[in-house]
Amino acid sequence: MTEAPPYPQKRTCPYEPPAGYREIGERGPVLKVTLFDGREAWMVTGYRESREILTHPNLSSQRTHPGFPIVAPRFRSQIARTLALIAMDPPVHDVYRRYLNPHFSLKAVRRMRPEIERIVAGFVDRIVEHGPPADLVPLLAVPLPSLVICRHLGVPYDDHDFFQDASGKVMLGTEEESATAAQELFDYIDRLVAEQIKNPSDGLLGTLVRERVVTGDIGHDELVSIALVLLIAAHETTSSSLALGVITLLEHPEQLALLHEDPDRLPGAVEELLRYIATTDLVATRVAKGDIEIAGHLIREGEGVLVSGTLANRDAAVHRRADELDLLREDSHHLTFGFGIHQCLGQNLARLELEVAFKELFGRLPGIRLAAPVAELPILGAGTVQRVLELPVEW
């Protein structure tokens, strides 16, 4: 194996890491990898080491730093490198989080449960009416998180086709496609925010206008950047996690049987699926703003740092039978939503959507099965992010 193995590597199974990642994990918990542009970056693969470095004061999210590791051409664009929250360090990051945390808290999300249950039931009604075979991507996985975040933000759902397509290109398109789509999304949200400032709605954007824009806490452009991040993050990763979760459960019928046996196991099952699948391979892309000593290595100021959720979540030093899916496991803790100050803002909402969707889908269609072999399912992604393009099922 080379001194600094290549990253990312191509997946051959939607729920298993690329074969080469096993060797990277064995070489960890901290090692250097080679990125697409030939530059090297540090990668942290151990679970404990990942938690340690994600709380280190010398780890920075400043994507405009010349040493920041770009893992794919599409992340070179100016918009991608200046996103609110994601590309910010304290103290500015902490201020933004303080504004947003109450709107995504466990308490706030629990109040949304009845509405999400009605939304999911409506989508499954349409799947049943459609009859087999049915493609769960356009019938459930894509529209569910889109509709939920649209209602939460106060974004017109009539425009969902546009931002679903655009957010997909931002996350998985070529460099040119990603930059163009990001600009189109930015311009769309810019117009939306201008309308909200004139006439605030009851959604989160309208609330932020009343609570933060009018008071001068944040400006127009800042609200646009916040909305852009929330719209893309809430839609793209949850959509993919839902589709990948369905595939994984259908490919592990003995595990799915445990849910049919007792639906109350669903919250724990969602945690195990989040640990096992790795929709997004990296939980952090950072740069050292000062020297960091970790696991016997010295990461110097200005060097890039990647934290692999895929490998940390399958760390055999922390998880028994780490490479097995076990919906009853008690050690299903994971880093899929990150750790520390940048932990995913929407994690409570994502968990609820997955739980409700799995409960309704498998409860209403207990005989559901894949209508095509897993190897033939079109799945876009080369290690950093996965997106299921089609998910045909029958029952």
Side-chain angles (χ1 to χ4, degrees):
M1 190 164 181
T2 58
E3 187 63 29
Y7 176 84
Q9 297 178 23
K10 189 172 177 58
R11 290 177 181 267
T12 56
C13 174
Y15 48 81
E16 293 289 354
Y21 284 15
R22 182 178 296 276
E23 297 176 67
I24 290 176
E26 290 170 355
R27 286 265 303 277
V30 178
L31 75 160
K32 280 193 172 181
V33 294
T34 303
L35 305 180
F36 76 97
D37 57 4
R39 292 201 301 168
E40 291 186 356
W42 290 96
M43 175 172 276
V44 183
T45 66
Y47 181 85
R48 294 188 182 95
E49 292 78 9
S50 296
R51 285 167 61 104
E52 178 184 344
I53 201 165
L54 287 171
T55 55
H56 199 287
N58 282 346
L59 202 65
S60 171
S61 297
Q62 289 292 339
R63 296 186 171 203
T64 52
H65 189 291
F68 192 90
I70 307 296
V71 298
R74 61 185 175 274
F75 298 127
R76 285 170 166 160
S77 74
Q78 180 65 19
I79 291 176
R81 300 181 75 173
T82 55
L83 290 169
L85 297 168
I86 292 173
M88 288 178 170
D89 287 337
V92 178
H93 169 270
D94 299 345
V95 173
Y96 278 41
R97 287 291 296 226
R98 191 167 65 247
Y99 294 160
L100 292 167
N101 279 340
H103 304 284
F104 291 91
S105 67
L106 188 57
K107 183 178 179 181
V109 167
R110 281 176 173 163
R111 287 198 298 267
M112 298 168 67
R113 187 179 191 111
E115 182 182 15
I116 291 175
E117 288 177 337
R118 285 193 295 272
I119 291 170
V120 171
F123 284 129
V124 176
D125 284 344
R126 285 190 278 281
I127 291 168
V128 173
E129 290 167 9
H130 182 284
D135 184 352
L136 294 188
V137 169
L139 289 173
L140 179 64
V142 167
L144 170 59
S146 291
L147 181 53
V148 170
I149 196 61
C150 279
R151 290 192 179 176
H152 193 44
L153 291 179
V155 174
Y157 184 64
D158 289 347
D159 300 328
H160 68 280
D161 284 339
F162 159 70
F163 59 73
Q164 285 165 7
D165 179 64
S167 63
K169 287 176 179 174
V170 168
M171 296 292 285
L172 287 156
T174 64
E175 182 173 4
E176 185 178 349
E177 286 173 341
S178 180
T180 300
Q183 188 62 55
E184 288 174 350
L185 265 176
F186 186 91
D187 293 343
Y188 167 80
I189 295 172
D190 182 61
R191 294 190 297 271
L192 195 67
V193 166
E195 292 170 9
Q196 289 285 333
I197 290 174
K198 290 179 185 175
N199 185 24
S201 69
D202 293 332
L204 176 53
L205 289 187
T207 300
L208 290 173
V209 166
R210 288 189 294 270
E211 293 180 354
R212 301 299 172 189
V213 176
V214 172
T215 58
D217 292 330
I218 57 177
H220 173 106
D221 290 347
E222 292 170 295
L223 184 55
V224 172
S225 188
I226 290 170
L228 180 68
V229 169
L230 295 178
L231 196 60
I232 294 175
H235 164 252
E236 195 63 32
T237 51
T238 306
S239 174
S240 295
S241 296
L242 175 50
L244 291 166
V246 169
I247 293 169
T248 304
L249 288 170
L250 293 180
E251 284 292 283
H252 295 79
E254 75 291 346
Q255 294 296 310
L256 181 55
L258 295 172
L259 297 183
H260 286 307
E261 192 178 286
D262 184 1
D264 289 341
R265 291 170 172 159
L266 260 167
V270 167
E271 295 308 307
E272 172 65 351
L273 287 166
L274 288 167
R275 179 195 75 86
Y276 186 75
I277 293 169
T279 300
T280 55
D281 186 54
L282 297 175
V283 296
T285 313
R286 303 282 190 269
V287 64
K289 62 181 180 182
D291 291 353
I292 300 172
E293 292 186 24
I294 184 167
H297 295 274
L298 176 62
I299 300 174
R300 297 188 182 279
E301 180 181 354
E303 293 185 325
V305 179
L306 310 176
V307 181
S308 172
T310 294
L311 293 171
N313 288 346
R314 293 187 178 220
D315 185 347
V318 174
H319 297 102
R320 296 172 295 103
R321 298 173 285 102
D323 290 322
E324 291 182 26
L325 179 72
D326 179 5
L327 300 190
L328 300 183
R329 77 162 62 240
E330 295 177 359
D331 58 344
S332 61
H333 41 272
H334 56 81
L335 297 179
T336 299
F337 293 121
F339 190 72
I341 62 169
H342 281 279
Q343 198 165 11
C344 176
L345 180 69
Q347 60 180 294
N348 295 319
L349 183 56
R351 284 185 170 102
L352 179 59
E353 289 180 51
L354 293 172
E355 180 190 332
V356 173
F358 293 146
K359 183 176 183 180
E360 186 75 8
L361 183 67
F362 292 114
R364 296 267 301 275
L365 299 172
I368 193 171
R369 59 189 179 274
L370 292 175
V374 168
E376 295 179 10
L377 296 177
I379 298 176
L380 197 60
T384 54
V385 184
Q386 292 192 88
R387 190 187 204 198
V388 181
L389 303 179
E390 295 175 18
L391 180 48
V393 294
E394 50 195 16
W395 57 91

